[in-house]
């Protein structure tokens, strides 16, 4: 019994590590990417249709590939970055590359929903374009960005479970090796309960923070 608890605890820690690192990287990379996609669009602050189309194409390319195929296709790149294609850190690389364009598109939608009248008012008052991004676009879009990041976290938990089933460790690995291959229904049920509790906690926390930031 204590051995199972130890395995469950280690699996939970591995999952939190994979999801935490990849989601943080997706936030740091995806949010600037979303801002660039918005401000380089036609008739926007830094209109550059060519750059906008190029970035949009790259984002769509990575979003089009299912996670399992992306993970396998990236094995040489993953091995070059972290020195291995097996384990928690090997999963962080494809998880990050899958989460970044996903979160960028969600954040882009939130930024586009900002009232254009606020941007025009800031321009009329003489705000520099970078100040408009920092003091108007990002603060107004914060509730949507938080909600989008919450969705990204939940999606990464699902993806980490798939990654675990093919050698990345974590709760997915535990459910596959002990729950599925050894027909241990108790392990399978416990992993499901932990995953549901984790997703529920994240969703409730994200919704609460988003409501607190929404002053409309």
């Amino acid at each position: 019994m204590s051995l199972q608890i130890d395995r469950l605890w280690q699996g939970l820690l591995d999952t939190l590590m994979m999801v935490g690192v990849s989601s943080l990287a997706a936030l740091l990379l995806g949010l600037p990417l979303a801002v660039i996609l918005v401000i380089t669009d036609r008739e926007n602050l830094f209109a550059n249709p060519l750059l906008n189309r190029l970035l949009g194409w790259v984002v769509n390319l990575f979003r089009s590939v299912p996670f399992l195929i992306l993970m396998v296709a990236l094995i040489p790149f993953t091995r070059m970055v972290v020195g291995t294609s097996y384990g928690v850190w090997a999963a962080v690389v494809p998880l990050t590359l899958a989460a970044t364009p996903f979160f960028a598109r969600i954040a882009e939608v939130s930024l586009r929903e900002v009232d254009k009248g606020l941007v025009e008012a800031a321009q009329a008052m003489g705000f520099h374009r970078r100040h408009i991004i920092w003091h108007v676009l990002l603060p107004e879009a914060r509730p949507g960005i938080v909600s989008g990041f919450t969705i990204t976290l939940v999606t990464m938990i699902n993806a980490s479970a798939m990654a675990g089933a093919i050698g990345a460790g974590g709760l997915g690995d535990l459910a596959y090796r002990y729950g599925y291959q050894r027909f241990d229904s108790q392990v399978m049920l416990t992993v499901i309960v932990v995953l549901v509790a984790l997703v529920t906690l994240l969703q409730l926390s994200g919704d609460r923070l988003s409501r607190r930031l929404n002053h409309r």
Side-chain angles (χ1 to χ4, degrees):
M1 184 65 181
S2 62
L3 184 60
Q4 287 189 0
I5 292 175
D6 290 344
R7 285 175 177 151
L8 182 65
W9 178 246
Q10 186 59 50
L12 177 61
L13 291 179
D14 288 346
T15 295
L16 292 177
M17 175 72 78
M18 284 189 283
V19 173
V21 174
S22 59
S23 297
L24 179 61
L27 176 65
L28 296 177
L29 297 173
L31 187 55
L33 182 57
V35 171
I36 294 172
L37 283 168
V38 172
I39 64 176
T40 58
D41 203 0
R42 293 180 186 279
E43 299 180 358
N44 221 311
L45 296 173
F46 293 88
N48 188 330
L50 180 61
L51 176 61
N52 187 273
R53 283 198 295 272
L54 179 62
L55 287 177
W57 181 81
V58 173
V59 168
N60 290 338
L61 174 67
F62 278 93
R63 288 191 61 205
S64 301
V65 182
F67 177 69
L68 277 179
I69 297 175
L70 180 68
M71 189 172 181
V72 174
L74 287 173
I75 284 178
F77 178 72
T78 301
R79 191 178 290 123
M80 182 179 72
V81 173
V82 297
T84 179
S85 59
Y86 185 86
V88 172
W89 289 106
V92 167
V93 176
L95 282 171
T96 299
L97 290 176
T100 298
F102 180 83
F103 173 63
R105 280 300 189 201
I106 296 178
E108 180 191 0
V109 171
S110 299
L111 289 165
R112 290 189 186 281
E113 288 178 348
V114 174
D115 187 353
K116 290 185 178 179
L118 293 174
V119 176
E120 292 171 357
Q123 288 175 316
M125 287 188 288
F127 275 46
H128 193 279
R129 289 180 292 183
R130 67 175 183 274
H131 292 153
I132 294 174
I133 296 169
W134 191 253
H135 296 293
V136 179
L137 279 179
L138 288 173
E140 288 295 320
R142 271 188 313 190
I145 291 173
V146 169
S147 295
F149 188 61
T150 304
I151 294 172
T152 304
L153 282 171
V154 172
T155 303
M156 287 302 97
I157 290 174
N158 295 334
S160 73
M162 284 190 284
I166 56 174
L171 293 172
D173 175 63
L174 191 65
Y176 181 72
R177 283 198 296 141
Y178 293 90
Y180 175 69
Q181 290 186 329
R182 301 187 184 184
F183 304 105
D184 191 332
S185 57
Q186 186 178 3
V187 170
M188 182 67 83
L189 182 61
T190 304
V191 169
I192 291 172
V193 169
V194 171
L195 286 172
V196 170
L198 189 59
V199 168
T200 303
L201 180 63
L202 284 172
Q203 190 65 59
L204 290 175
S205 301
D207 290 345
R208 186 173 180 180
L209 180 59
S210 179
R211 283 195 298 270
R212 290 187 64 180
L213 293 173
N214 191 352
H215 302 298
R216 297 174 187 173

